[in-house]
PDB file of all heavy atoms in Angstrom:
ATOM      1  N   ALA M 108      -6.895 154.521   6.846  1.00  0.00           N
ATOM      2  CA  ALA M 108      -5.643 154.842   6.154  1.00  0.00           C
ATOM      3  C   ALA M 108      -4.599 155.213   7.197  1.00  0.00           C
ATOM      4  O   ALA M 108      -4.926 155.788   8.244  1.00  0.00           O
ATOM      5  CB  ALA M 108      -5.829 155.983   5.158  1.00  0.00           C
ATOM      6  N   MET M 109      -3.346 154.891   6.909  1.00  0.00           N
ATOM      7  CA  MET M 109      -2.265 155.200   7.851  1.00  0.00           C
ATOM      8  C   MET M 109      -0.974 155.453   7.088  1.00  0.00           C
ATOM      9  O   MET M 109      -0.792 154.979   5.960  1.00  0.00           O
ATOM     10  CB  MET M 109      -2.065 154.039   8.830  1.00  0.00           C
ATOM     11  CG  MET M 109      -1.741 152.721   8.155  1.00  0.00           C
ATOM     12  SD  MET M 109      -1.758 151.332   9.312  1.00  0.00           S
ATOM     13  CE  MET M 109      -1.481 149.967   8.181  1.00  0.00           C
ATOM     14  N   ALA M 110      -0.097 156.221   7.697  1.00  0.00           N
ATOM     15  CA  ALA M 110       1.227 156.479   7.140  1.00  0.00           C
ATOM     16  C   ALA M 110       2.259 155.770   8.009  1.00  0.00           C
ATOM     17  O   ALA M 110       2.166 155.792   9.247  1.00  0.00           O
ATOM     18  CB  ALA M 110       1.508 157.979   7.104  1.00  0.00           C
ATOM     19  N   VAL M 111       3.230 155.125   7.357  1.00  0.00           N
ATOM     20  CA  VAL M 111       4.268 154.387   8.086  1.00  0.00           C
ATOM     21  C   VAL M 111       5.647 154.799   7.575  1.00  0.00           C
ATOM     22  O   VAL M 111       5.783 155.331   6.469  1.00  0.00           O
ATOM     23  CB  VAL M 111       4.091 152.858   7.918  1.00  0.00           C
ATOM     24  CG1 VAL M 111       2.777 152.405   8.522  1.00  0.00           C
ATOM     25  CG2 VAL M 111       4.169 152.447   6.452  1.00  0.00           C
ATOM     26  N   ASP M 112       6.660 154.542   8.402  1.00  0.00           N
ATOM     27  CA  ASP M 112       8.027 154.827   7.983  1.00  0.00           C
ATOM     28  C   ASP M 112       8.656 153.569   7.377  1.00  0.00           C
ATOM     29  O   ASP M 112       7.976 152.568   7.147  1.00  0.00           O
ATOM     30  CB  ASP M 112       8.856 155.394   9.141  1.00  0.00           C
ATOM     31  CG  ASP M 112       9.051 154.393  10.291  1.00  0.00           C
ATOM     32  OD1 ASP M 112       8.805 153.171  10.096  1.00  0.00           O
ATOM     33  OD2 ASP M 112       9.468 154.820  11.383  1.00  0.00           O
ATOM     34  N   HIS M 114      10.419 151.270   8.525  1.00  0.00           N
ATOM     35  CA  HIS M 114      10.388 150.054   9.338  1.00  0.00           C
ATOM     36  C   HIS M 114       8.963 149.665   9.724  1.00  0.00           C
ATOM     37  O   HIS M 114       8.766 148.858  10.620  1.00  0.00           O
ATOM     38  CB  HIS M 114      11.246 150.237  10.592  1.00  0.00           C
ATOM     39  CG  HIS M 114      12.708 150.336  10.299  1.00  0.00           C
ATOM     40  ND1 HIS M 114      13.572 151.128  11.025  1.00  0.00           N
ATOM     41  CD2 HIS M 114      13.456 149.753   9.315  1.00  0.00           C
ATOM     42  CE1 HIS M 114      14.794 151.017  10.529  1.00  0.00           C
ATOM     43  NE2 HIS M 114      14.739 150.200   9.493  1.00  0.00           N
ATOM     44  N   TRP M 115       7.979 150.258   9.056  1.00  0.00           N
ATOM     45  CA  TRP M 115       6.571 149.981   9.298  1.00  0.00           C
ATOM     46  C   TRP M 115       6.105 150.459  10.659  1.00  0.00           C
ATOM     47  O   TRP M 115       5.178 149.909  11.246  1.00  0.00           O
ATOM     48  CB  TRP M 115       6.254 148.488   9.124  1.00  0.00           C
ATOM     49  CG  TRP M 115       6.332 148.027   7.712  1.00  0.00           C
ATOM     50  CD1 TRP M 115       7.430 147.606   7.039  1.00  0.00           C
ATOM     51  CD2 TRP M 115       5.251 147.981   6.762  1.00  0.00           C
ATOM     52  NE1 TRP M 115       7.122 147.290   5.737  1.00  0.00           N
ATOM     53  CE2 TRP M 115       5.789 147.511   5.554  1.00  0.00           C
ATOM     54  CE3 TRP M 115       3.892 148.275   6.843  1.00  0.00           C
ATOM     55  CZ2 TRP M 115       5.003 147.331   4.410  1.00  0.00           C
ATOM     56  CZ3 TRP M 115       3.109 148.092   5.709  1.00  0.00           C
ATOM     57  CH2 TRP M 115       3.672 147.624   4.509  1.00  0.00           C
ATOM     58  N   ASN M 116       6.764 151.498  11.166  1.00  0.00           N
ATOM     59  CA  ASN M 116       6.295 152.123  12.390  1.00  0.00           C
ATOM     60  C   ASN M 116       5.264 153.189  12.038  1.00  0.00           C
ATOM     61  O   ASN M 116       5.431 153.931  11.071  1.00  0.00           O
ATOM     62  CB  ASN M 116       7.458 152.751  13.155  1.00  0.00           C
ATOM     63  CG  ASN M 116       8.418 151.708  13.687  1.00  0.00           C
ATOM     64  OD1 ASN M 116       8.003 150.644  14.140  1.00  0.00           O
ATOM     65  ND2 ASN M 116       9.713 151.990  13.614  1.00  0.00           N
ATOM     66  N   LEU M 117       4.207 153.269  12.830  1.00  0.00           N
ATOM     67  CA  LEU M 117       3.105 154.175  12.551  1.00  0.00           C
ATOM     68  C   LEU M 117       3.554 155.623  12.704  1.00  0.00           C
ATOM     69  O   LEU M 117       4.092 156.021  13.742  1.00  0.00           O
ATOM     70  CB  LEU M 117       1.940 153.881  13.507  1.00  0.00           C
ATOM     71  CG  LEU M 117       0.638 154.627  13.258  1.00  0.00           C
ATOM     72  CD1 LEU M 117       0.029 154.212  11.924  1.00  0.00           C
ATOM     73  CD2 LEU M 117      -0.349 154.357  14.388  1.00  0.00           C
ATOM     74  N   VAL M 118       3.322 156.419  11.676  1.00  0.00           N
ATOM     75  CA  VAL M 118       3.630 157.840  11.687  1.00  0.00           C
ATOM     76  C   VAL M 118       2.377 158.654  11.958  1.00  0.00           C
ATOM     77  O   VAL M 118       2.370 159.589  12.755  1.00  0.00           O
ATOM     78  CB  VAL M 118       4.268 158.271  10.342  1.00  0.00           C
ATOM     79  CG1 VAL M 118       4.416 159.788  10.259  1.00  0.00           C
ATOM     80  CG2 VAL M 118       5.618 157.591  10.144  1.00  0.00           C
ATOM     81  N   SER M 119       1.298 158.300  11.285  1.00  0.00           N
ATOM     82  CA  SER M 119       0.020 158.986  11.468  1.00  0.00           C
ATOM     83  C   SER M 119      -1.084 158.081  10.944  1.00  0.00           C
ATOM     84  O   SER M 119      -0.828 157.139  10.184  1.00  0.00           O
ATOM     85  CB  SER M 119       0.020 160.328  10.721  1.00  0.00           C
ATOM     86  OG  SER M 119      -1.146 161.076  11.013  1.00  0.00           O
ATOM     87  N   ALA M 120      -2.320 158.374  11.345  1.00  0.00           N
ATOM     88  CA  ALA M 120      -3.468 157.571  10.897  1.00  0.00           C
ATOM     89  C   ALA M 120      -4.722 158.418  10.980  1.00  0.00           C
ATOM     90  O   ALA M 120      -4.775 159.407  11.729  1.00  0.00           O
ATOM     91  CB  ALA M 120      -3.613 156.315  11.755  1.00  0.00           C
ATOM     92  N   ILE M 124      -8.960 154.316  11.626  1.00  0.00           N
ATOM     93  CA  ILE M 124      -8.015 153.289  12.100  1.00  0.00           C
ATOM     94  C   ILE M 124      -8.185 153.045  13.593  1.00  0.00           C
ATOM     95  O   ILE M 124      -7.941 151.935  14.091  1.00  0.00           O
ATOM     96  CB  ILE M 124      -6.562 153.728  11.788  1.00  0.00           C
ATOM     97  CG1 ILE M 124      -6.243 153.538  10.309  1.00  0.00           C
ATOM     98  CG2 ILE M 124      -5.561 152.969  12.638  1.00  0.00           C
ATOM     99  CD1 ILE M 124      -6.040 152.094   9.881  1.00  0.00           C
ATOM    100  N   LEU M 128      -7.106 149.795  16.307  1.00  0.00           N
ATOM    101  CA  LEU M 128      -5.988 149.869  17.253  1.00  0.00           C
ATOM    102  C   LEU M 128      -6.461 149.507  18.654  1.00  0.00           C
ATOM    103  O   LEU M 128      -5.747 148.861  19.425  1.00  0.00           O
ATOM    104  CB  LEU M 128      -5.395 151.282  17.259  1.00  0.00           C
ATOM    105  CG  LEU M 128      -4.751 151.790  15.960  1.00  0.00           C
ATOM    106  CD1 LEU M 128      -4.176 153.181  16.163  1.00  0.00           C
ATOM    107  CD2 LEU M 128      -3.677 150.831  15.474  1.00  0.00           C
ATOM    108  N   ALA M 131      -6.285 145.828  20.021  1.00  0.00           N
ATOM    109  CA  ALA M 131      -5.004 145.170  20.312  1.00  0.00           C
ATOM    110  C   ALA M 131      -4.628 145.333  21.780  1.00  0.00           C
ATOM    111  O   ALA M 131      -5.115 146.230  22.479  1.00  0.00           O
ATOM    112  CB  ALA M 131      -3.914 145.768  19.430  1.00  0.00           C
ATOM    113  N   LEU M 135       1.206 146.428  22.688  1.00  0.00           N
ATOM    114  CA  LEU M 135       1.588 146.597  21.284  1.00  0.00           C
ATOM    115  C   LEU M 135       1.377 148.019  20.799  1.00  0.00           C
ATOM    116  O   LEU M 135       1.748 148.350  19.669  1.00  0.00           O
ATOM    117  CB  LEU M 135       0.785 145.636  20.403  1.00  0.00           C
ATOM    118  CG  LEU M 135       1.024 144.147  20.635  1.00  0.00           C
ATOM    119  CD1 LEU M 135       0.043 143.315  19.825  1.00  0.00           C
ATOM    120  CD2 LEU M 135       2.462 143.778  20.279  1.00  0.00           C
ATOM    121  N   LEU M 136       0.809 148.868  21.654  1.00  0.00           N
ATOM    122  CA  LEU M 136       0.513 150.245  21.264  1.00  0.00           C
ATOM    123  C   LEU M 136       1.495 151.237  21.860  1.00  0.00           C
ATOM    124  O   LEU M 136       1.305 152.448  21.742  1.00  0.00           O
ATOM    125  CB  LEU M 136      -0.920 150.603  21.689  1.00  0.00           C
ATOM    126  CG  LEU M 136      -2.020 149.730  21.077  1.00  0.00           C
ATOM    127  CD1 LEU M 136      -3.381 150.146  21.612  1.00  0.00           C
ATOM    128  CD2 LEU M 136      -1.995 149.819  19.557  1.00  0.00           C
ATOM    129  N   GLN M 137       2.549 150.712  22.500  1.00  0.00           N
ATOM    130  CA  GLN M 137       3.587 151.594  23.020  1.00  0.00           C
ATOM    131  C   GLN M 137       4.468 152.074  21.869  1.00  0.00           C
ATOM    132  O   GLN M 137       4.927 151.268  21.059  1.00  0.00           O
ATOM    133  CB  GLN M 137       4.445 150.859  24.058  1.00  0.00           C
ATOM    134  CG  GLN M 137       3.669 150.401  25.282  1.00  0.00           C
ATOM    135  CD  GLN M 137       3.041 151.550  26.024  1.00  0.00           C
ATOM    136  OE1 GLN M 137       3.674 152.575  26.288  1.00  0.00           O
ATOM    137  NE2 GLN M 137       1.763 151.395  26.376  1.00  0.00           N
ATOM    138  N   PRO M 139       7.520 153.062  19.484  1.00  0.00           N
ATOM    139  CA  PRO M 139       6.874 153.177  18.179  1.00  0.00           C
ATOM    140  C   PRO M 139       5.966 151.973  17.902  1.00  0.00           C
ATOM    141  O   PRO M 139       6.341 150.828  18.164  1.00  0.00           O
ATOM    142  CB  PRO M 139       8.057 153.191  17.210  1.00  0.00           C
ATOM    143  CG  PRO M 139       9.115 152.384  17.905  1.00  0.00           C
ATOM    144  CD  PRO M 139       8.944 152.658  19.379  1.00  0.00           C
ATOM    145  N   VAL M 140       4.778 152.244  17.388  1.00  0.00           N
ATOM    146  CA  VAL M 140       3.819 151.184  17.076  1.00  0.00           C
ATOM    147  C   VAL M 140       4.156 150.601  15.713  1.00  0.00           C
ATOM    148  O   VAL M 140       4.087 151.299  14.701  1.00  0.00           O
ATOM    149  CB  VAL M 140       2.377 151.726  17.074  1.00  0.00           C
ATOM    150  CG1 VAL M 140       1.397 150.626  16.671  1.00  0.00           C
ATOM    151  CG2 VAL M 140       2.018 152.310  18.431  1.00  0.00           C
ATOM    152  N   ASN M 141       4.541 149.334  15.690  1.00  0.00           N
ATOM    153  CA  ASN M 141       4.856 148.686  14.424  1.00  0.00           C
ATOM    154  C   ASN M 141       3.593 148.012  13.896  1.00  0.00           C
ATOM    155  O   ASN M 141       3.041 147.117  14.531  1.00  0.00           O
ATOM    156  CB  ASN M 141       5.969 147.649  14.605  1.00  0.00           C
ATOM    157  CG  ASN M 141       6.418 147.065  13.288  1.00  0.00           C
ATOM    158  OD1 ASN M 141       5.804 146.144  12.766  1.00  0.00           O
ATOM    159  ND2 ASN M 141       7.488 147.617  12.732  1.00  0.00           N
ATOM    160  N   VAL M 142       3.122 148.452  12.736  1.00  0.00           N
ATOM    161  CA  VAL M 142       1.816 147.993  12.255  1.00  0.00           C
ATOM    162  C   VAL M 142       1.839 146.537  11.791  1.00  0.00           C
ATOM    163  O   VAL M 142       0.806 145.854  11.844  1.00  0.00           O
ATOM    164  CB  VAL M 142       1.286 148.916  11.140  1.00  0.00           C
ATOM    165  CG1 VAL M 142       1.127 150.345  11.661  1.00  0.00           C
ATOM    166  CG2 VAL M 142       2.176 148.897   9.918  1.00  0.00           C
ATOM    167  N   LEU M 143       2.987 146.035  11.339  1.00  0.00           N
ATOM    168  CA  LEU M 143       3.051 144.623  10.962  1.00  0.00           C
ATOM    169  C   LEU M 143       3.005 143.733  12.200  1.00  0.00           C
ATOM    170  O   LEU M 143       2.312 142.714  12.221  1.00  0.00           O
ATOM    171  CB  LEU M 143       4.322 144.339  10.157  1.00  0.00           C
ATOM    172  CG  LEU M 143       4.416 145.001   8.785  1.00  0.00           C
ATOM    173  CD1 LEU M 143       5.628 144.465   8.029  1.00  0.00           C
ATOM    174  CD2 LEU M 143       3.154 144.774   7.972  1.00  0.00           C
ATOM    175  N   ARG M 144       3.723 144.141  13.232  1.00  0.00           N
ATOM    176  CA  ARG M 144       3.669 143.387  14.488  1.00  0.00           C
ATOM    177  C   ARG M 144       2.254 143.461  15.061  1.00  0.00           C
ATOM    178  O   ARG M 144       1.706 142.456  15.540  1.00  0.00           O
ATOM    179  CB  ARG M 144       4.684 143.976  15.469  1.00  0.00           C
ATOM    180  CG  ARG M 144       4.763 143.235  16.799  1.00  0.00           C
ATOM    181  CD  ARG M 144       5.806 143.851  17.721  1.00  0.00           C
ATOM    182  NE  ARG M 144       7.151 143.703  17.196  1.00  0.00           N
ATOM    183  CZ  ARG M 144       7.939 144.734  16.852  1.00  0.00           C
ATOM    184  NH1 ARG M 144       7.487 145.980  16.967  1.00  0.00           N
ATOM    185  NH2 ARG M 144       9.150 144.513  16.398  1.00  0.00           N
ATOM    186  N   LEU M 145       1.642 144.629  15.008  1.00  0.00           N
ATOM    187  CA  LEU M 145       0.287 144.812  15.499  1.00  0.00           C
ATOM    188  C   LEU M 145      -0.700 143.915  14.749  1.00  0.00           C
ATOM    189  O   LEU M 145      -1.625 143.353  15.326  1.00  0.00           O
ATOM    190  CB  LEU M 145      -0.112 146.280  15.342  1.00  0.00           C
ATOM    191  CG  LEU M 145      -1.467 146.717  15.880  1.00  0.00           C
ATOM    192  CD1 LEU M 145      -1.474 146.690  17.393  1.00  0.00           C
ATOM    193  CD2 LEU M 145      -1.800 148.115  15.378  1.00  0.00           C
ATOM    194  N   SER M 146      -0.473 143.749  13.454  1.00  0.00           N
ATOM    195  CA  SER M 146      -1.388 142.957  12.627  1.00  0.00           C
ATOM    196  C   SER M 146      -1.283 141.466  12.902  1.00  0.00           C
ATOM    197  O   SER M 146      -2.303 140.763  12.951  1.00  0.00           O
ATOM    198  CB  SER M 146      -1.115 143.208  11.142  1.00  0.00           C
ATOM    199  OG  SER M 146      -1.342 144.555  10.806  1.00  0.00           O
ATOM    200  N   LEU M 147      -0.050 140.960  13.065  1.00  0.00           N
ATOM    201  CA  LEU M 147       0.156 139.514  13.082  1.00  0.00           C
ATOM    202  C   LEU M 147       0.426 138.919  14.455  1.00  0.00           C
ATOM    203  O   LEU M 147       0.435 137.697  14.609  1.00  0.00           O
ATOM    204  CB  LEU M 147       1.310 139.156  12.132  1.00  0.00           C
ATOM    205  CG  LEU M 147       1.112 139.563  10.667  1.00  0.00           C
ATOM    206  CD1 LEU M 147       2.309 139.106   9.835  1.00  0.00           C
ATOM    207  CD2 LEU M 147      -0.182 138.986  10.106  1.00  0.00           C
ATOM    208  N   HIS M 148       0.656 139.754  15.443  1.00  0.00           N
ATOM    209  CA  HIS M 148       0.931 139.241  16.789  1.00  0.00           C
ATOM    210  C   HIS M 148      -0.331 138.583  17.365  1.00  0.00           C
ATOM    211  O   HIS M 148      -1.442 139.057  17.143  1.00  0.00           O
ATOM    212  CB  HIS M 148       1.384 140.387  17.702  1.00  0.00           C
ATOM    213  CG  HIS M 148       2.037 139.932  18.956  1.00  0.00           C
ATOM    214  ND1 HIS M 148       1.321 139.437  20.033  1.00  0.00           N
ATOM    215  CD2 HIS M 148       3.346 139.896  19.321  1.00  0.00           C
ATOM    216  CE1 HIS M 148       2.162 139.126  21.006  1.00  0.00           C
ATOM    217  NE2 HIS M 148       3.391 139.373  20.605  1.00  0.00           N
ATOM    218  N   GLY M 151      -2.408 140.925  18.957  1.00  0.00           N
ATOM    219  CA  GLY M 151      -2.803 142.050  18.121  1.00  0.00           C
ATOM    220  C   GLY M 151      -4.090 141.751  17.390  1.00  0.00           C
ATOM    221  O   GLY M 151      -5.052 141.230  17.962  1.00  0.00           O
ATOM    222  N   LEU M 152      -4.092 142.031  16.088  1.00  0.00           N
ATOM    223  CA  LEU M 152      -5.299 141.828  15.294  1.00  0.00           C
ATOM    224  C   LEU M 152      -5.421 140.420  14.729  1.00  0.00           C
ATOM    225  O   LEU M 152      -6.465 140.076  14.155  1.00  0.00           O
ATOM    226  CB  LEU M 152      -5.327 142.833  14.138  1.00  0.00           C
ATOM    227  CG  LEU M 152      -5.353 144.316  14.524  1.00  0.00           C
ATOM    228  CD1 LEU M 152      -5.440 145.182  13.272  1.00  0.00           C
ATOM    229  CD2 LEU M 152      -6.497 144.620  15.466  1.00  0.00           C
ATOM    230  N   ALA M 153      -4.380 139.597  14.889  1.00  0.00           N
ATOM    231  CA  ALA M 153      -4.383 138.255  14.287  1.00  0.00           C
ATOM    232  C   ALA M 153      -5.639 137.448  14.621  1.00  0.00           C
ATOM    233  O   ALA M 153      -6.213 136.814  13.733  1.00  0.00           O
ATOM    234  CB  ALA M 153      -3.121 137.490  14.697  1.00  0.00           C
ATOM    235  N   ILE M 156      -8.526 138.257  12.213  1.00  0.00           N
ATOM    236  CA  ILE M 156      -8.375 138.119  10.766  1.00  0.00           C
ATOM    237  C   ILE M 156      -8.885 136.755  10.326  1.00  0.00           C
ATOM    238  O   ILE M 156      -8.373 135.704  10.743  1.00  0.00           O
ATOM    239  CB  ILE M 156      -6.901 138.314  10.359  1.00  0.00           C
ATOM    240  CG1 ILE M 156      -6.429 139.715  10.768  1.00  0.00           C
ATOM    241  CG2 ILE M 156      -6.735 138.133   8.853  1.00  0.00           C
ATOM    242  CD1 ILE M 156      -4.960 139.994  10.488  1.00  0.00           C
ATOM    243  N   TRP M 162      -3.270 136.299   4.639  1.00  0.00           N
ATOM    244  CA  TRP M 162      -2.832 137.674   4.906  1.00  0.00           C
ATOM    245  C   TRP M 162      -1.432 137.702   5.510  1.00  0.00           C
ATOM    246  O   TRP M 162      -0.606 138.534   5.155  1.00  0.00           O
ATOM    247  CB  TRP M 162      -3.838 138.370   5.827  1.00  0.00           C
ATOM    248  CG  TRP M 162      -3.549 139.830   5.989  1.00  0.00           C
ATOM    249  CD1 TRP M 162      -3.077 140.472   7.091  1.00  0.00           C
ATOM    250  CD2 TRP M 162      -3.709 140.845   4.981  1.00  0.00           C
ATOM    251  NE1 TRP M 162      -2.927 141.811   6.847  1.00  0.00           N
ATOM    252  CE2 TRP M 162      -3.313 142.073   5.562  1.00  0.00           C
ATOM    253  CE3 TRP M 162      -4.148 140.822   3.657  1.00  0.00           C
ATOM    254  CZ2 TRP M 162      -3.335 143.278   4.853  1.00  0.00           C
ATOM    255  CZ3 TRP M 162      -4.180 142.014   2.948  1.00  0.00           C
ATOM    256  CH2 TRP M 162      -3.775 143.221   3.541  1.00  0.00           C
ATOM    257  N   LEU M 166       1.863 139.505   3.886  1.00  0.00           N
ATOM    258  CA  LEU M 166       2.667 140.529   4.558  1.00  0.00           C
ATOM    259  C   LEU M 166       4.128 140.114   4.681  1.00  0.00           C
ATOM    260  O   LEU M 166       5.038 140.920   4.465  1.00  0.00           O
ATOM    261  CB  LEU M 166       2.084 140.829   5.939  1.00  0.00           C
ATOM    262  CG  LEU M 166       0.765 141.591   5.990  1.00  0.00           C
ATOM    263  CD1 LEU M 166       0.412 141.938   7.436  1.00  0.00           C
ATOM    264  CD2 LEU M 166       0.812 142.862   5.146  1.00  0.00           C
ATOM    265  N   ARG M 169       5.792 140.297   1.308  1.00  0.00           N
ATOM    266  CA  ARG M 169       6.023 141.709   0.973  1.00  0.00           C
ATOM    267  C   ARG M 169       7.199 142.282   1.761  1.00  0.00           C
ATOM    268  O   ARG M 169       8.045 142.997   1.221  1.00  0.00           O
ATOM    269  CB  ARG M 169       4.741 142.482   1.279  1.00  0.00           C
ATOM    270  CG  ARG M 169       4.777 143.961   0.974  1.00  0.00           C
ATOM    271  CD  ARG M 169       3.384 144.525   1.201  1.00  0.00           C
ATOM    272  NE  ARG M 169       3.375 145.966   1.237  1.00  0.00           N
ATOM    273  CZ  ARG M 169       2.313 146.696   1.536  1.00  0.00           C
ATOM    274  NH1 ARG M 169       1.167 146.096   1.817  1.00  0.00           N
ATOM    275  NH2 ARG M 169       2.385 148.007   1.561  1.00  0.00           N
ATOM    276  N   LEU M 185      12.763 141.971  11.525  1.00  0.00           N
ATOM    277  CA  LEU M 185      11.314 141.998  11.684  1.00  0.00           C
ATOM    278  C   LEU M 185      10.667 140.823  10.951  1.00  0.00           C
ATOM    279  O   LEU M 185       9.742 140.186  11.464  1.00  0.00           O
ATOM    280  CB  LEU M 185      10.758 143.319  11.159  1.00  0.00           C
ATOM    281  CG  LEU M 185       9.237 143.508  11.259  1.00  0.00           C
ATOM    282  CD1 LEU M 185       8.764 143.424  12.705  1.00  0.00           C
ATOM    283  CD2 LEU M 185       8.830 144.848  10.637  1.00  0.00           C
ATOM    284  N   LEU M 189       8.272 138.001  12.682  1.00  0.00           N
ATOM    285  CA  LEU M 189       6.907 137.698  12.254  1.00  0.00           C
ATOM    286  C   LEU M 189       6.762 136.242  11.838  1.00  0.00           C
ATOM    287  O   LEU M 189       5.736 135.603  12.098  1.00  0.00           O
ATOM    288  CB  LEU M 189       6.510 138.608  11.090  1.00  0.00           C
ATOM    289  CG  LEU M 189       6.515 140.121  11.357  1.00  0.00           C
ATOM    290  CD1 LEU M 189       5.998 140.863  10.137  1.00  0.00           C
ATOM    291  CD2 LEU M 189       5.718 140.469  12.593  1.00  0.00           C
ATOM    292  N   TYR M 192       5.993 133.827  14.683  1.00  0.00           N
ATOM    293  CA  TYR M 192       4.684 133.764  15.327  1.00  0.00           C
ATOM    294  C   TYR M 192       3.991 132.445  14.951  1.00  0.00           C
ATOM    295  O   TYR M 192       4.341 131.834  13.944  1.00  0.00           O
ATOM    296  CB  TYR M 192       3.804 134.932  14.889  1.00  0.00           C
ATOM    297  CG  TYR M 192       4.269 136.295  15.359  1.00  0.00           C
ATOM    298  CD1 TYR M 192       3.750 137.453  14.806  1.00  0.00           C
ATOM    299  CD2 TYR M 192       5.225 136.423  16.362  1.00  0.00           C
ATOM    300  CE1 TYR M 192       4.159 138.709  15.222  1.00  0.00           C
ATOM    301  CE2 TYR M 192       5.655 137.671  16.789  1.00  0.00           C
ATOM    302  CZ  TYR M 192       5.116 138.812  16.216  1.00  0.00           C
ATOM    303  OH  TYR M 192       5.539 140.041  16.624  1.00  0.00           O
ATOM    304  N   ALA M 242       5.308 155.931   3.538  1.00  0.00           N
ATOM    305  CA  ALA M 242       4.319 155.288   2.673  1.00  0.00           C
ATOM    306  C   ALA M 242       2.955 155.388   3.332  1.00  0.00           C
ATOM    307  O   ALA M 242       2.827 155.272   4.556  1.00  0.00           O
ATOM    308  CB  ALA M 242       4.674 153.823   2.439  1.00  0.00           C
ATOM    309  N   GLU M 244      -0.683 153.697   3.505  1.00  0.00           N
ATOM    310  CA  GLU M 244      -1.460 152.491   3.216  1.00  0.00           C
ATOM    311  C   GLU M 244      -2.941 152.851   3.376  1.00  0.00           C
ATOM    312  O   GLU M 244      -3.383 153.225   4.461  1.00  0.00           O
ATOM    313  CB  GLU M 244      -1.089 151.362   4.177  1.00  0.00           C
ATOM    314  CG  GLU M 244      -1.723 150.040   3.853  1.00  0.00           C
ATOM    315  CD  GLU M 244      -0.767 149.065   3.179  1.00  0.00           C
ATOM    316  OE1 GLU M 244       0.441 149.345   3.149  1.00  0.00           O
ATOM    317  OE2 GLU M 244      -1.245 148.030   2.684  1.00  0.00           O
ATOM    318  N   PHE M 246      -6.954 151.675   2.862  1.00  0.00           N
ATOM    319  CA  PHE M 246      -7.830 150.514   2.729  1.00  0.00           C
ATOM    320  C   PHE M 246      -9.176 150.940   2.139  1.00  0.00           C
ATOM    321  O   PHE M 246      -9.740 151.967   2.531  1.00  0.00           O
ATOM    322  CB  PHE M 246      -8.035 149.842   4.087  1.00  0.00           C
ATOM    323  CG  PHE M 246      -6.804 149.170   4.618  1.00  0.00           C
ATOM    324  CD1 PHE M 246      -5.891 149.870   5.387  1.00  0.00           C
ATOM    325  CD2 PHE M 246      -6.548 147.832   4.328  1.00  0.00           C
ATOM    326  CE1 PHE M 246      -4.740 149.260   5.867  1.00  0.00           C
ATOM    327  CE2 PHE M 246      -5.404 147.217   4.802  1.00  0.00           C
ATOM    328  CZ  PHE M 246      -4.494 147.924   5.571  1.00  0.00           C
TER     329      PHE M 246
END
Side-chain angles (χ1 to χ4, degrees):
M109 58 189 176
V111 297
D112 65 15
H114 292 146
W115 290 86
N116 293 321
L117 187 65
V118 172
S119 187
I124 284 286
L128 296 182
L135 296 173
L136 300 178
Q137 298 300 313
V140 177
N141 186 277
V142 300
L143 294 188
R144 182 179 294 117
L145 184 70
S146 298
L147 301 182
H148 196 283
L152 299 182
I156 300 177
W162 188 251
L166 289 186
R169 181 174 167 186
L185 180 60
L189 300 184
Y192 293 166
E244 187 103 11
F246 291 88

